[in-house]
Amino acid sequence: MRHGFRFFDQPVTRPRATPATNQKEMHMKTPKRTFLANAIAAAVMAAALGTPTTAAQTTAHDHGAAMPHKLTLDHGRKWATDEPLRASMGRIRSLVEPQLGAAHADKLSPAHYRELAAQVESEIGAIVTNCKLEPKADAMLHLLIADLSAAADTMAGKNATTRPALGLEKVVEAVNQYGTHFDHPDFKPIRNVR
């Protein structure tokens, strides 16, 4: 209480701004708002234009290694693998190879592609969950996983501008890249990709 009356009972009065003041304030705030809006728009665009590899790398675990941009060999040698990786990649190979003939003859339905994509995605999940590779090999594997994931999305019909058959071909190409870059005894490339 101050001077015999309670402070919160006092009416609150605010000075009125003149229209000229409002225009001046708006003019001063507009560049800040425009800058902020442009910064937000740039961030949204950068996120939207990110590559599939970037997306996959952020969702998968990280061992702190710098992420490469292209599959390479380990000083001329194939990267080491572990049993869970070899088992899942073998299953992916077994899933897609028998489907190529039907895909080339345009005999696979959208439902069949979606089912195949779900099976591939399940194996990708098993690979990510059971990853026990050293960091550099793991970084290379994440590039492969990104390619497999993007191809599975295409097979599932998530990319309306691309035929699911192209997704199947991309899965096969990724499987063959795995065989070229990772040490998996007796792994055979898939022939007749196209």
Side-chain angles (χ1 to χ4, degrees):
M1 230 195 272
R2 285 196 312 184
H3 303 289
F5 59 92
R6 294 185 310 189
F7 182 73
F8 53 85
D9 287 341
Q10 296 295 320
V12 177
T13 60
R14 294 190 175 111
R16 290 186 159 217
T18 63
T21 304
N22 286 341
Q23 289 175 355
K24 183 179 179 183
E25 286 177 7
M26 289 303 292
H27 179 69
M28 290 175 66
K29 290 179 182 178
T30 301
K32 291 178 185 175
R33 287 183 182 159
T34 303
F35 175 76
L36 181 59
N38 288 342
I40 291 170
V44 169
M45 289 295 286
L49 295 175
T51 63
T53 301
T54 304
Q57 290 168 356
T58 58
T59 58
H61 63 278
D62 178 21
H63 294 289
M67 298 305 286
H69 299 290
K70 181 180 174 191
L71 276 173
T72 61
L73 292 171
D74 181 15
H75 298 76
R77 295 183 311 265
K78 292 182 178 184
W79 295 98
T81 59
D82 61 6
E83 183 52 37
L85 173 60
R86 289 188 297 270
S88 287
M89 288 305 295
R91 284 190 291 271
I92 292 173
R93 187 191 185 289
S94 296
L95 286 168
V96 296
E97 183 188 30
Q99 304 304 321
L100 279 174
H104 293 313
D106 202 26
K107 293 186 178 182
L108 295 181
S109 69
H112 193 95
Y113 280 114
R114 284 191 300 273
E115 180 183 332
L116 190 57
Q119 292 170 324
V120 170
E121 287 173 354
S122 175
E123 293 301 330
I124 292 168
I127 291 168
V128 171
T129 300
N130 299 308
C131 178
K132 304 285 190 244
L133 302 180
E134 61 92 11
K136 289 182 181 178
D138 186 68
M140 286 294 148
L141 178 61
H142 285 239
L143 292 176
L144 189 73
I145 288 170
D147 290 344
L148 285 169
S149 294
D153 284 350
T154 300
M155 277 196 303
K158 294 179 183 178
N159 183 349
T161 61
T162 308
R163 298 176 309 113
L166 182 59
L168 177 60
E169 290 175 5
K170 294 292 184 186
V171 169
V172 171
E173 288 172 4
V175 166
N176 286 344
Q177 286 294 317
Y178 164 77
T180 301
H181 292 88
F182 289 87
D183 187 17
H184 186 141
D186 302 321
F187 191 86
K188 294 181 171 77
I190 300 173
R191 306 281 181 221
N192 303 320
V193 176
R194 288 185 170 46

